[in-house]
């Protein structure tokens, strides 16, 4: 009987996917299809949990099949991340889209990412104090205890490396290994390697223009093919979002969410404020924040449902270049750096909130100015090279709590609501990298304001 219900659920998902395909054939915009998939996924997931129960065999079996669509889509995106980053940055040199000094562009992007992360930490601190959150208020069950022990073990592993050693990890010693994404800093390592090739190309162009021209044509061919692959994958976005959102809502522990509702609410208030700060920065730069929101919604929706900044990179870069007027080079630098440096949600808001919650348990006054100042500085520094790995928020929290001499195990108390909060954190992470790209383009006069101010592209124009 269970198998029959699982087959029925699979058929229902396929029918919903067919509905999204019909919307595409009718010319309904990409953004509307993504949002429709988001809403349908929420309703479908809640319905499945209501009918079968969160721990049923039918539900787990159905989700297993749904993952072919949802997780499969994420894997396709992750598959193209390294080739996209590599070829796009080289193409930025061969196509002369990097008009400004590369060092200046990199410094601006990293500065914006780190600066907004420090601000995000301050927002997280303020929100925690306003909501009067303390770790002692949270009940500790078996799952929380196990999670705490795992975090303490990870802390011991991370403590074996000093900050300078962590910085050295950015430099690729085996670029072929980094192309596999084997290290937490692999994306940044590939960016560095691609930049070296780009700089070498500029040198060859001065001394041997014929060979440089041949190389540029090869790069242009590869770039065109890679971008076509990206387009093919992005066409699957509504279906991926539908399956991912169904899984999240069908498997969430709503009882635990209710118990920790205050922390969840405080987290989303903080994340909303940080997103608002992104919009304020754009407004200060003379750009319409509402235009940004309208055009960024598809990629932020995907980041929200998938909980993967790396998986969102292709859509992130395409949105920056095709919708927001950012040059290819800056978009790729901002998107790539944003995977491992200064993630506003995972490395900014979350560790700061945890530190303030845990501080009273060891007799530290969370209102002490010296404690707050040190916390913001440590959060900003710790955001280097940590948030890009799987479970990035956990790594960031471990580093911050260790540096502040706070008990790491208490961070495991929030395991039951981690997936729900991580959705919002990931969306804010991606928004932070996109904001860094737009602002850097504006400062360096590389931003195509006519593209930024134009209406959101139709599906045909976006070729999605």
């Amino acid at each position: 009987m269970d198998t029959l219900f699982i087959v029925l659920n699979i058929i229902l998902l396929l029918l919903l996917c067919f509905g999204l395909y019909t919307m595409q054939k009718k010319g309904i915009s990409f953004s509307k299809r993504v949002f429709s998939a988001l809403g349908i996924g929420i309703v479908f997931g809640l319905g499945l949990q209501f009918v079968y129960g969160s721990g049923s065999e039918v539900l787990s079996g159905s989700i297993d099949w749904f993952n072919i669509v949802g997780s499969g889509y994420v894997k396709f995106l992750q598959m193209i991340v390294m080739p996209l980053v590599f070829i796009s940055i080289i193409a930025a040199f061969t196509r002369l889209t990097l008009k400004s000094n590369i060092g200046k562009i990199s410094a601006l992007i990293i500065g914006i990412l780190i600066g907004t992360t420090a601000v995000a930490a301050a927002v997280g601190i303020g929100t925690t104090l306003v909501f009067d959150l303390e770790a002692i208020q949270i009940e500790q069950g078996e799952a929380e205890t196990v999670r705490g022990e795992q975090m303490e073990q990870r802390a011991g592993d991370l403590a074996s490396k000093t900050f300078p050693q962590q910085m050295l990890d950015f430099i690729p010693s085996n670029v072929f290994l980094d192309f596999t994404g084997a290290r937490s800093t692999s994306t940044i390592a590939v960016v560095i390697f691609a930049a070296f090739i780009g700089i070498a190309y500029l040198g060859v162009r001065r001394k041997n223009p014929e060979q440089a021209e041949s190389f540029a044509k090869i790069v242009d061919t590869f770039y065109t093919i890679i971008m076509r692959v990206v387009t093919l994958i992005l066409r699957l976005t509504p279906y991926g979002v539908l399956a991912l959102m169904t899984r999240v809502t069908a498997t969430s522990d709503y009882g635990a969410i209710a118990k920790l509702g205050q922390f969840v609410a405080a987290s989303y208030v903080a994340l909303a404020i940080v997103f608002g700060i992104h919009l304020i920065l754009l407004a200060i730069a003379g750009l319409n924040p509402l235009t940004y929101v309208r055009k960024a919604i598809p990629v932020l929706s995907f980041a929200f449902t998938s909980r993967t900044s790396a998986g969102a990179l292709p859509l992130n870069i395409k949105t920056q270049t095709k919708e927001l007027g950012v040059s290819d080079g800056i978009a790729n630098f901002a998107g790539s750096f944003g995977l491992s440096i200064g993630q506003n949600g995972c490395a900014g808001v979350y560790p700061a909130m945890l530190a303030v919650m845990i501080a009273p348990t060891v007799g530290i006054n969370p209102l002490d100015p010296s404690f707050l100042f040190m916390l913001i500085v440590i959060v900003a520094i710790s955001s280097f090279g940590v948030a890009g790995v799987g479970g990035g928020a956990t790594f960031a929290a471990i580093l911050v709590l260790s540096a502040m001499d706070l008990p790491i195990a208490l961070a495991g108390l929030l395991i039951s609501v981690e997936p729900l909060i991580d959705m919002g954190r990931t969306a804010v992470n991606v928004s932070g990298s996109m904001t860094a790209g737009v602002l850097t383009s504006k400062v360096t006069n590389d931003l195509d304001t006519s593209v930024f101010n134009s209406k959101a592209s139709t599906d045909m124009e976006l070729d999605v």
Side-chain angles (χ1 to χ4, degrees), residues 374-407:
M374 186 59 65
L375 176 57
I376 292 173
V377 171
I378 288 175
V379 165
I381 294 174
S382 299
S383 69
F384 274 84
V386 175
V389 302
T394 299
F395 274 78
I398 289 171
L399 281 182
V400 171
L401 295 177
S402 298
M404 298 296 293
D405 228 3
L406 296 171

Side-chain angles (χ1 to χ4, degrees), residues 5-173:
F5 284 122
I6 290 173
V7 171
L8 177 62
N9 293 334
I10 294 170
I11 292 172
L12 287 174
L13 181 71
L14 292 175
L15 288 173
L16 293 174
C17 288
F18 181 74
L20 291 172
Y21 176 75
T22 303
M23 291 173 67
Q24 179 183 345
K25 285 298 182 182
K26 290 183 177 180
I28 295 175
S29 72
F30 182 71
S31 299
K32 289 180 180 177
R33 283 186 281 123
V34 170
F35 260 103
S36 296
L38 185 68
I40 294 169
I42 291 173
V43 174
F44 188 37
L46 289 173
L48 289 175
Q49 184 170 132
F50 177 76
V51 172
Y52 300 109
S54 59
S56 70
E57 291 292 330
V58 174
L59 185 60
S60 60
S62 300
I63 295 300
D64 231 12
W65 284 96
F66 294 176
N67 283 339
I68 294 177
V69 179
S71 299
Y73 173 62
V74 173
K75 284 183 177 292
F76 278 134
L77 286 165
Q78 292 171 336
M79 170 188 76
I80 202 65
V81 165
M82 291 303 182
L84 174 64
V85 169
F86 179 68
I87 201 69
S88 295
I89 289 176
I90 295 177
F93 286 89
T94 59
R95 295 180 173 191
L96 297 177
T97 55
L98 286 176
K99 299 176 183 177
S100 303
N101 181 274
I102 300 167
K104 179 182 178 182
I105 289 173
S106 300
L108 277 170
I109 291 171
I110 293 173
I112 292 169
L113 289 171
I114 298 301
T116 51
T117 299
V119 172
V123 170
I125 291 169
T127 307
T128 307
L129 293 173
V130 169
F131 278 77
D132 195 25
L133 300 176
E134 290 187 20
I136 199 171
Q137 301 167 344
I138 304 173
E139 295 180 13
Q140 185 165 349
E142 184 179 348
E144 287 77 14
T145 302
V146 171
R147 175 67 165 175
E149 291 172 353
Q150 290 174 345
M151 292 184 73
E152 284 187 324
Q153 184 177 356
R154 274 181 148 177
D157 296 337
L158 288 174
S160 62
K161 283 190 176 183
T162 64
F163 182 70
Q165 289 172 334
Q166 291 176 34
M167 295 298 290
L168 277 174
D169 282 343
F170 287 140
I171 302 174
S173 58

Side-chain angles (χ1 to χ4, degrees), residues 271-281:
L271 293 170
I273 292 172
V274 173
F275 182 65
I277 290 170
H278 294 166
L279 302 184
I280 291 171
L281 290 174

Side-chain angles (χ1 to χ4, degrees), residues 232-379:
L232 293 174
I233 295 172
L234 292 184
R235 285 179 175 174
L236 303 174
T237 299
Y239 313 106
V241 167
L242 169 63
L244 290 166
M245 202 68 233
T246 299
R247 182 185 66 187
V248 169
T249 53
T251 58
S252 292
D253 185 348
Y254 294 102
I257 291 171
K259 290 180 182 177
L260 294 171
Q262 193 174 14
F263 179 77
V264 174
S267 297
Y268 271 92
V269 167
L271 293 170
I273 292 172
V274 173
F275 182 65
I277 290 170
H278 294 166
L279 302 184
I280 291 171
L281 290 174
L282 293 171
I284 291 172
L287 301 170
N288 189 333
L290 295 179
T291 300
Y292 169 81
V293 171
R294 188 174 68 251
K295 295 186 173 185
I297 276 177
V299 63
L300 298 183
S301 299
F302 171 74
F304 183 84
T305 51
S306 67
R307 296 166 51 202
T308 166
S309 299
L313 182 62
L315 193 56
N316 178 340
I317 292 172
K318 192 152 192 174
T319 301
Q320 286 193 59
T321 55
K322 302 295 184 183
E323 295 282 357
L324 299 174
V326 179
S327 66
D328 287 338
I330 291 177
N332 278 278
F333 269 70
S336 303
F337 282 140
L339 296 184
S340 298
I341 296 176
Q343 293 202 335
N344 292 181
C346 287
V349 171
Y350 184 66
M353 291 185 73
L354 283 181
V356 174
M357 288 175 62
I358 293 172
T361 65
V362 291
I364 297 176
N365 180 8
L367 293 173
D368 183 355
S370 60
F371 167 79
L372 296 177
F373 175 76
M374 186 59 65
L375 176 57
I376 292 173
V377 171
I378 288 175
V379 165

Side-chain angles (χ1 to χ4, degrees), residues 143-223:
E144 287 77 14
T145 302
V146 171
R147 175 67 165 175
E149 291 172 353
Q150 290 174 345
M151 292 184 73
E152 284 187 324
Q153 184 177 356
R154 274 181 148 177
D157 296 337
L158 288 174
S160 62
K161 283 190 176 183
T162 64
F163 182 70
Q165 289 172 334
Q166 291 176 34
M167 295 298 290
L168 277 174
D169 282 343
F170 287 140
I171 302 174
S173 58
N174 182 350
V175 73
F176 296 103
L177 176 69
D178 287 318
F179 271 114
T180 69
R183 302 188 302 139
S184 62
T185 55
S186 286
T187 305
I188 299 300
V190 170
V191 170
I192 292 172
F193 180 64
F196 267 98
I197 291 181
I199 293 169
Y201 161 80
L202 295 178
V204 171
R205 193 182 62 178
R206 286 195 300 270
K207 297 180 179 180
N208 198 328
E210 289 184 4
Q211 288 186 350
E213 185 179 352
S214 298
F215 178 76
K217 288 180 179 178
I218 293 171
V219 170
D220 194 52
T221 300
F222 273 104
Y223 179 82

